[in-house]
Amino acid sequence: MATLASRHPAAHADRWFFSSTALLMLGLVFIGFAPSYYLSGIVEPPPGLKPATTLVHVHALLFSGWMLLFVLQTQLVAWRRTDLHRLLGMIGFVMLPAMIVIATVSALHSVHRAAGPPMIPPLTFLAVPLLDIPVFALLIGGALANRRTPQMHKRLMFIAMIGMMSPAIGRMPLPPPFVGPVAIFVLPDLFLFALVLFDLMTMGRVHRATLWGGLLLVSSQILRVLIWETESWLAFARWASGLVA
């Protein structure tokens, strides 16, 4: 009885953490993209904003839909509707390949539109979205492969969503110390820090999905900063972006 009783507070904390952080992620995405997309024409757009193309609209539709699906899935688990959660999860299998293709093409097109942060040259910045795609795919793929192991599944999915915070937070009007790599990598990684703390508080250890998924995410971020100004990367970025010129 004591063991069963101890599980209930942990399960409640589990549902609360993932459902509330998902809503926070959704709020940050809306705030970050409101001036340039969601509230375009209603609020003042950022300076130098390029008109949205058909590709931009398709990208926004897919990734906004994924964000909403992620939030809905966490809420369904919190409401203990795992039957609907599993049913809607099939949508993820369909969306993932399309998202990978559209994200890749959009990243390459962004070089010609100079759609990245103004303080980072387009060829340099291409390392951020282009290398985020395989990391996102690996984490989501791992989460879907472990969908019958809830603690693995939800953590890998959560860490994959952290990468989606970079474009949103990077578009926010932040003070100078927080722009550039800090906004793109460090601030989104606060979600990973929160997950580590949650693991320690609820399990007394860092879950292996948090550990390995977090290491994959952070090491990929460090790699991007290390290579994005090298001649090898710039030559590759110039060639790759030329494929969609």
Side-chain angles (χ1 to χ4, degrees), residues 21 23 32 37 55 57 68-69 94 113 117 128 130 138 145 157 163 172 174 200 211 217 229 236 240 243:
T21 50
L23 288 171
Y37 193 80
L55 181 61
H57 288 305
L68 291 172
L69 177 63
V94 177
R113 300 179 72 245
V128 176
L130 201 59
L138 283 171
M157 190 69 73
M172 295 179 183
L174 300 170
L200 292 173
L211 176 62
L217 176 68
E229 290 186 338
F236 169 78
L243 297 175

Side-chain angles (χ1 to χ4, degrees), residues 18-140:
F18 288 101
S19 61
S20 60
T21 50
L23 288 171
L24 177 57
M25 287 180 173
L26 178 63
L28 291 174
V29 167
F30 180 79
I31 293 170
F33 283 98
S36 61
Y37 193 80
Y38 296 126
L39 298 182
S40 178
I42 300 176
V43 300
E44 183 178 354
L49 178 67
K50 307 293 191 302
T53 64
T54 300
L55 181 61
V56 170
H57 288 305
V58 173
H59 183 278
L61 179 63
L62 270 175
F63 280 81
S64 297
W66 183 273
M67 186 75 238
L68 291 172
L69 177 63
F70 172 69
V71 172
L72 178 58
Q73 290 289 69
T74 60
Q75 304 310 309
L76 287 173
V77 172
W79 300 332
R80 303 181 186 181
R81 291 304 310 269
T82 53
D83 54 335
L84 290 177
H85 177 90
R86 287 191 295 269
L87 182 63
L88 289 178
M90 298 304 297
I91 298 174
F93 283 98
V94 177
M95 292 181 66
L96 185 58
M99 291 172 67
I100 291 171
V101 172
I102 293 298
T104 301
V105 177
S106 297
L108 296 176
H109 269 286
S110 69
V111 173
H112 305 289
R113 300 179 72 245
M119 76 289 297
I120 304 177
L123 290 175
T124 298
F125 184 73
L126 182 61
V128 176
L130 201 59
L131 296 184
D132 190 50
I133 294 166
V135 175
F136 178 81
L138 283 171
L139 289 168
I140 293 294

Side-chain angles (χ1 to χ4, degrees), residues 17 25 155 158-160 162 185-199 206 209-219 221:
F17 175 81
M25 287 180 173
R155 282 167 172 79
F158 181 86
I159 296 169
I162 294 173
F185 298 130
V186 178
L187 294 182
D189 284 353
L190 292 177
F191 281 101
L192 179 60
F193 180 67
L195 180 59
V196 170
L197 287 181
F198 175 76
D199 282 357
V206 177
T210 303
L211 176 62
W212 293 111
L215 285 174
L216 174 63
L217 176 68
V218 174
S219 62
Q221 294 169 343

